[in-house]
Amino acid sequence: MELPSGKEIVLTDTVGFIQNLPHDLVAAFRATLEEANEADLILHVVDASSTMREEQMAVVQSILEDLGAADKPQLVLFNKIDACQPDQLEMLPSGEGYLKISAFNDQDLEEVRQAIQDNLSGGTLKFRIPGDRGDVISVLYRVGDVLEQSFEDNDIIFEVRINRADYDKMGYQLQDYLIQ
């Protein structure tokens, strides 16, 4: 999927979480479900029109806990809002971490792409790197998207939209160059 910034990401769809599955069936899907542990962000898609919505959400949370993935960042997507009554929509949580969408609405899908980008982003940081430190500059390009660069003496000033997961892994190499 291409995000609004142009960055491409990989989405993986796991088997749906179904309440009261036989243990041998859960075991068969376990490898698929365990991909949640590798995710930078979990998109929890909920059928907003379902009368069992709360129970289904609790089952998902329970399974994520069992897999050790409950602490992963999540974005809850209440889908099928076009099939909801106004009072059903009012009952849905809202705010940060929640989106009410219809998969049939292109604007809603664009909001999902933007929300994914926002969740994966570690914000914008500035770095001052000597021009002869190509090794450090290459790290900078691996941890984010360079939005702007300017030159001052022998240094290059970079403004970078950080990818949180990459920065968590490699950002230590840039700490000496961070502009406060």
Side-chain angles (χ1 to χ4, degrees):
M1 172 191 280
E2 186 172 321
L3 298 177
S5 67
K7 182 176 178 79
E8 291 189 1
I9 62 167
V10 175
L11 294 176
T12 303
D13 185 17
T14 64
V15 64
F17 296 122
I18 302 169
Q19 203 166 5
N20 300 322
L21 276 179
H23 289 292
D24 56 334
L25 194 52
V26 171
F29 288 128
R30 189 155 187 90
T32 303
L33 297 174
E34 284 179 346
E35 287 191 25
N37 285 317
E38 303 301 319
D40 294 322
L41 175 67
I42 294 175
L43 300 179
H44 179 177
V45 181
V46 178
D47 180 347
S49 67
S50 172
T51 58
M52 301 284 295
R53 177 182 65 241
E54 299 299 324
E55 294 86 350
Q56 292 166 344
M57 290 176 70
V59 168
V60 168
Q61 206 54 44
S62 173
I63 291 174
L64 288 173
E65 286 174 17
D66 290 347
L67 294 170
D71 62 338
K72 293 285 184 177
Q74 282 189 45
L75 179 59
V76 178
L77 305 176
F78 290 107
N79 191 24
K80 300 185 184 179
I81 61 168
D82 49 311
C84 290
Q85 299 299 319
D87 61 320
Q88 284 178 301
L89 287 175
E90 289 175 21
M91 302 281 293
L92 298 174
S94 59
E96 190 173 333
Y98 299 96
L99 281 180
K100 300 172 188 175
I101 67 164
S102 168
F104 294 120
N105 184 316
D106 289 339
Q107 184 176 346
D108 287 354
L109 296 178
E110 191 57 38
E111 279 185 50
V112 170
R113 282 190 281 281
Q114 184 64 50
I116 292 170
Q117 178 174 291
D118 293 347
N119 274 273
L120 294 176
S121 172
T124 302
L125 296 175
K126 283 192 173 185
F127 300 89
R128 178 186 204 103
I129 302 175
D132 63 352
R133 291 301 310 267
D135 58 324
V136 176
I137 293 170
S138 71
V139 171
L140 192 69
Y141 277 90
R142 280 187 251 141
V143 301
D145 299 314
V146 174
L147 303 174
E148 220 175 279
Q149 70 180 26
S150 59
F151 300 90
E152 196 172 294
D153 298 325
N154 293 326
D155 296 337
I156 306 172
I157 310 299
F158 292 93
E159 185 174 340
V160 181
R161 182 185 311 114
I162 298 298
N163 176 299
R164 185 178 306 143
D166 293 336
Y167 191 73
D168 287 348
K169 293 175 196 165
M170 296 180 276
Y172 69 92
Q173 299 173 63
L174 300 168
Q175 291 306 306
D176 293 342
Y177 306 99
L178 185 62
I179 298 173
Q180 301 298 337

